[in-house]
Amino acid sequence: MLVLGFESSCDETGVALYDTQHGLLAHALHSQVAMHAEFGGVVPELASRDHIRRALPLTEIALKQANKTLADIDGIAYTQGPGLAGALLVGTSIAQSLAFALNVPSVGVHHLEGHLLAPLLEENPPQFPFVALLVSGGHSQLMRIDGIGQYQLLGDTLDDAAGEAFDKTAKLLGLSYPGGPELAKLADKGSAKFKLPRPMLNSGDLNFSFSGLKTAVLTLANNNQPLTDAIKADIAWEFQEAVTEILTTKCMNALRETGLDNLVVSGGVGANARLREKLNAATKRKLCKVSYPRLEFCTDNGAMIAFAGAMRLEAMRLEQLKSGKPQQNYSVSVKPRWDLAELQMP
């Protein structure tokens, strides 16, 4: 089955082609970072309009890369939620219109499921079951993954997500948008001059809290005026150390509590080099394995949506063969808020 996937949940337009027999054939991506940088963050209306401009040209690029045409498509997947309502509507409308015109099945994909399954696109994918750390600008969650659609939440953030804390801390330090990657670069120039708290490090559960850490950075910055470049670098270094220590400790606790020895990391913060360094060392000490998606698939992309959609379309096809009742709904609906716990395989 050849599946065309669309991602448009926020500020990246992604299109990809995934074949259930031959794997990922092509993917094309456009990031809106430069457009939103002027405003210091994502402007939803501008994001939606840009998705309209980019989706079909990116589809043509992906088809050309794979040497395929629309007539070869067997199914279409699209991000149905969560995300920005307007941005989701663009991708959903285009995907459903194409599916209707081509008379092929379609499926709405949960954005977080796409991230969770992104490491399965690699040459040596992790095997179920595993513990997953989903860490991004909007989420910091630990989950037990027993299979496609079999997700158990182990821990969640009580306030800010790790990526959100990175971005807000970067803004406090006067760094440009997007702040997270800029803060990580600055941290490379810093050293251990300051000490920040490690919220909930020893809480006895697998939850996170990063809001207080951001406030501690503000206090530290106010107490060290004027903020020279050297002081900013030292604050960035300590902030990154605090976040990565918390994430690493909670991951190892999750592996111990579940009795599993396989960890998967996904989401934008999963690209952070210091986090990968700490997780690699910790899992090696405990004789566990850790897997990551390639860097280009840590952030939002169409490949993860095409893959997750292909898995679900295959399951839907088998179920319909058993029931003898093929069904397809081409209506346009989005879920800006969508709890991952609602997901099940058909």
Side-chain angles (χ1 to χ4, degrees):
M1 173 179 278
L2 180 61
V3 176
L4 175 65
F6 291 95
E7 156 60 20
S8 68
S9 63
C10 190
D11 59 344
E12 273 111 6
T13 313
V15 180
L17 284 164
Y18 182 85
D19 189 287
T20 52
Q21 289 187 324
H22 304 290
L24 183 65
L25 301 185
H27 70 98
L29 182 74
H30 175 77
S31 174
Q32 301 174 1
V33 165
M35 180 178 68
H36 295 297
E38 178 182 353
F39 307 97
V42 177
V43 181
E45 178 65 19
L46 294 180
S48 301
R49 290 176 180 271
D50 200 61
H51 287 309
I52 294 172
R53 287 193 292 267
R54 307 292 180 180
L56 292 181
L58 287 173
T59 301
E60 293 176 357
I61 291 172
L63 288 168
K64 186 175 181 180
Q65 285 179 357
N67 195 26
K68 299 290 183 181
T69 68
L70 286 176
D72 297 316
I73 302 299
D74 299 310
I76 295 180
Y78 57 93
T79 303
Q80 191 174 16
L84 301 175
L88 292 168
L89 278 169
V90 173
T92 299
S93 300
I94 292 172
Q96 290 290 62
S97 299
L98 275 176
F100 177 77
L102 298 173
N103 192 29
V104 297
S106 63
V107 64
V109 173
H110 195 294
H111 181 74
L112 299 188
E113 182 174 52
H115 276 302
L116 286 173
L117 301 181
L120 300 182
L121 286 164
E122 300 308 310
E123 187 174 344
N124 296 305
Q127 301 298 308
F128 299 115
F130 53 77
V131 168
L133 171 67
L134 176 58
V135 59
S136 66
H139 300 85
S140 293
Q141 296 177 323
L142 278 164
M143 281 174 272
R144 178 187 173 117
I145 312 298
D146 288 295
I148 307 294
Q150 301 176 47
Y151 313 131
Q152 177 190 353
L153 182 65
L154 303 174
D156 202 348
T157 180
L158 304 182
D159 38 61
D160 288 356
E164 183 180 4
F166 261 95
D167 289 339
K168 289 181 177 178
T169 297
K171 194 168 186 178
L172 288 174
L173 296 179
L175 303 181
S176 61
Y177 173 86
E182 291 301 312
L183 188 143
K185 291 179 185 177
L186 182 61
D188 289 339
K189 303 176 183 178
S191 58
K193 298 289 179 63
F194 301 111
K195 188 65 178 178
L196 289 170
R198 271 62 169 163
M200 297 189 70
L201 183 67
N202 300 306
S203 61
D205 56 32
L206 298 176
N207 292 325
F208 304 95
S209 173
F210 296 106
S211 179
L213 181 59
K214 173 197 64 183
T215 303
V217 170
L218 176 61
T219 301
L220 185 60
N222 288 337
N223 291 339
N224 287 274
Q225 296 291 333
L227 276 180
T228 64
D229 290 343
I231 290 175
K232 288 181 180 180
D234 291 338
I235 293 175
W237 186 93
E238 174 59 14
F239 172 81
Q240 182 173 254
E241 286 299 298
V243 173
T244 54
E245 180 180 345
I246 293 166
L247 293 173
T248 300
T249 299
K250 295 284 185 172
C251 283
M252 301 314 296
N253 290 346
L255 289 172
R256 185 183 68 252
E257 291 184 17
T258 58
L260 300 177
D261 61 1
N262 204 357
L263 175 68
V264 162
V265 182
S266 58
V269 181
N272 182 275
R274 184 59 174 149
L275 176 61
R276 291 192 176 204
E277 180 183 349
K278 287 188 175 182
L279 287 173
N280 289 342
T283 51
K284 185 177 181 180
R285 286 195 301 270
K286 298 296 183 180
L287 302 179
C288 298
K289 298 178 182 178
V290 59
S291 302
Y292 313 91
R294 69 197 76 168
L295 291 179
E296 62 188 316
F297 293 160
C298 286
T299 51
D300 296 349
N301 62 87
M304 67 183 190
I305 302 303
F307 175 75
M311 298 301 100
R312 289 192 166 270
L313 286 169
E314 282 280 295
M316 288 167 57
R317 183 167 64 176
L318 291 174
E319 185 63 27
Q320 290 172 359
L321 286 174
K322 291 179 183 177
S323 65
K325 298 178 180 179
Q327 296 179 346
Q328 179 59 51
N329 182 358
Y330 294 117
S331 65
V332 175
S333 65
V334 297
K335 300 179 181 180
R337 295 182 180 274
W338 188 4
D339 191 338
L340 189 66
E342 299 174 15
L343 280 187
Q344 294 180 346
M345 284 301 285

